[in-house]
């Protein structure tokens, strides 16, 4: 039994299920607010309760500084974190994979000692999150459009900047597969290019696509977190000036973490609960990636003579 893969699948599926159905079972919705309460008991002892409330029987994850339930916020933002990362990864692998398959099949092998195009070297030296930050900083702060539309914009940007790396990876793998004997045999009997790619090359690269997809999800979640450090949140950022603070419009998990950085030494649950869930979600996909690599390595080891 592949325990690593099983553990990753359980974690990921539980997160997805909670995102889809959790709000039906949550004790509070996004609009419920814990307000200041002053109570005097029969003995004359007074109790003053003010937000934020720490985790308790009524608010399992506590509340934020405004008294809103952290669990409700996490459930609301989970759809942007989970399905946003999945959508970007699917788009990257689909578009970049097709481009890589085509370039790998028709491309020529690079001569030993030759160097790639200098501009490509320059672009590879720039972290992707800096490129995305430069694009999004001017439109992410206090946007007039809806949170969904802003999330769509950042998803498109992340997809575009990630396609070249995916295409490059799949191109290299395709150039290896195209030299196999079964591909050369298909060419020798007159099989068309489309048939060769569809029936001979792609079936031998399905595992690479699956692993690459899982790795892309982890990479995208990392990019969400890096952007959140610079106050670029998925769905847009609301900026307040007195005092200066940045708030996620969608309660997306990396946004909740980014806006709660100042709570490291006070009201720690506002920071650490979203951070823990975020790490667990990333860990789930990391375990899936490791488990798939073990599975495919074991599978192909049985056919090492081919």
């Amino acid at each position: 039994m592949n325990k690593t893969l099983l553990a990753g699948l359980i974690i990921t599926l539980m997160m997805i299920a909670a995102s889809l159905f959790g709000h039906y079972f949550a004790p509070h919705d996004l609009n419920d607010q814990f307000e200041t309460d002053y109570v005097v008991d029969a003995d004359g002892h007074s109790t003053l309760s003010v937000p934020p409330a720490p985790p308790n029987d009524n608010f399992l994850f506590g509340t934020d500084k405004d008294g809103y339930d952290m669990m409700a916020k996490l459930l609301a933002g989970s759809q942007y974190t989970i399905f946003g990362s999945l959508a970007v990864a699917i788009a990257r692998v689909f578009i970049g994979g097709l481009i890589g398959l085509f370039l790998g099949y028709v491309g020529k092998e690079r001569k030993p000692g030759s160097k790639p195009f200098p501009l490509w070297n320059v672009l590879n030296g720039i972290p992707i999150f800096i490129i995305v930050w430069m694009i999004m900083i001017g439109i992410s702060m206090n946007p007039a459009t809806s949170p969904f539309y802003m999330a769509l914009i950042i998803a498109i940007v992340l997809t575009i900047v990630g396609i070249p790396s995916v295409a490059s990876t799949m191109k290299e793998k395709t150039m290896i597969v195209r030299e196999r004997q079964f591909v050369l045999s298909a060419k020798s009997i007159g099989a068309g290019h489309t048939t060769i790619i569809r029936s001979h090359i792609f079936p031998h690269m399905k595992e690479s696509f699956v692993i690459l997809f899982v790795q892309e999800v982890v990479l995208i979640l990392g990019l969400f977190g890096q952007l959140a450090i610079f106050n670029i949140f998925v769905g847009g950022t609301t900026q307040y000036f007195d005092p200066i603070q940045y708030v996620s419009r969608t309660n997306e998990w990396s946004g909740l973490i980014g806006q709660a950085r100042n709570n490291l030494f006070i009201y720690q649950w506002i920071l650490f609960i979203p951070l823990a869930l975020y790490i667990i979600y990333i860990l789930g996909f990391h375990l899936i990636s490791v488990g798939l690599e073990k599975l495919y390595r074991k599978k192909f080891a049985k056919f090492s003579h081919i």
Side-chain angles (χ1 to χ4, degrees):
M1 178 183 295
N2 194 328
K3 295 181 180 180
T4 304
L5 178 58
L6 180 61
L9 288 173
I10 291 175
I11 292 173
T12 304
L13 291 176
M14 287 180 62
M15 288 284 190
I16 294 175
S19 176
L20 291 173
F21 308 109
H23 62 280
Y24 292 112
F25 306 98
H28 302 279
D29 64 27
L30 201 56
N31 297 318
D32 289 344
Q33 187 176 18
F34 172 70
E35 298 179 351
T36 301
D37 189 21
Y38 183 77
V39 179
V40 180
D41 60 20
D43 297 327
H45 298 103
S46 61
T47 302
L48 177 64
S49 300
V50 296
N56 53 58
D57 294 338
N58 190 24
F59 296 97
L60 186 61
F61 289 170
T63 72
D64 65 4
K65 293 181 180 180
D66 297 318
Y68 293 104
D69 183 27
M70 285 297 299
M71 179 183 288
K73 296 182 69 172
L74 287 165
L75 288 173
S78 64
Q79 297 188 10
Y80 285 91
T81 301
I82 294 174
F83 298 110
S85 59
L86 292 176
V88 175
I90 290 172
R92 280 186 173 189
V93 172
F94 179 76
I95 300 173
L98 290 179
I99 295 174
L101 278 173
F102 174 77
L103 294 179
Y105 181 73
V106 303
K108 297 181 179 179
E109 291 189 16
R110 202 165 46 207
K111 297 180 179 179
S114 63
K115 297 182 179 180
F117 189 64
L119 178 60
W120 183 250
N121 286 339
V122 174
L123 293 177
N124 278 341
I126 303 176
I128 289 179
F129 89 92
I130 291 182
I131 299 175
V132 179
W133 179 83
M134 289 189 295
I135 295 173
M136 296 300 301
I137 188 62
I139 60 178
S140 185
M141 297 294 174
N142 298 319
T145 57
S146 67
F148 176 80
Y149 186 70
M150 289 302 303
L152 183 62
I153 291 176
I154 196 171
I156 293 173
V157 173
L158 286 171
T159 298
I160 293 173
V161 299
I163 286 175
S165 63
V166 174
S168 177
T169 299
M170 300 314 297
K171 175 186 175 182
E172 296 297 328
K173 293 181 179 295
T174 302
M175 294 181 73
I176 294 174
V177 175
R178 76 178 185 181
E179 300 301 326
R180 300 283 178 85
Q181 289 297 326
F182 57 87
V183 176
L184 298 177
S185 298
K187 289 182 179 179
S188 67
I189 62 175
H193 300 311
T194 304
T195 301
I196 293 174
I197 293 175
R198 183 183 68 249
S199 303
H200 298 282
I201 295 180
F202 177 74
H204 286 79
M205 297 181 61
K206 289 186 295 185
E207 292 81 6
S208 298
F209 274 97
V210 174
I211 293 176
L212 184 60
F213 164 73
V214 176
Q215 292 173 342
E216 283 295 310
V217 174
V218 175
L219 178 61
I220 292 159
L221 289 170
L223 287 172
F224 283 178
Q226 292 171 3
L227 291 169
I229 294 175
F230 294 91
N231 303 311
I232 303 298
F233 305 144
V234 178
T237 304
T238 299
Q239 182 180 13
Y240 297 99
F241 295 95
D242 190 19
I244 295 179
Q245 57 179 326
Y246 302 90
V247 178
S248 171
R249 300 171 74 207
T250 61
N251 295 309
E252 189 271 326
W253 291 356
S254 64
L256 291 178
I257 296 168
Q259 72 185 40
R261 296 197 305 274
N262 295 331
N263 295 107
L264 180 61
F265 301 107
I266 185 173
Y267 313 136
Q268 288 90 348
W269 66 89
I270 300 178
L271 170 63
F272 287 119
I273 290 178
L275 180 60
L277 291 176
Y278 198 67
I279 292 174
I280 291 172
Y281 182 58
I282 294 176
L283 177 63
F285 273 98
H286 175 70
L287 292 175
I288 291 175
S289 176
V290 174
L292 287 173
E293 289 178 353
K294 290 181 179 179
L295 177 66
Y296 294 144
R297 192 182 305 119
K298 183 178 180 180
K299 174 182 176 182
F300 294 124
K302 298 178 181 179
F303 305 99
S304 59
H305 61 282
I306 297 180

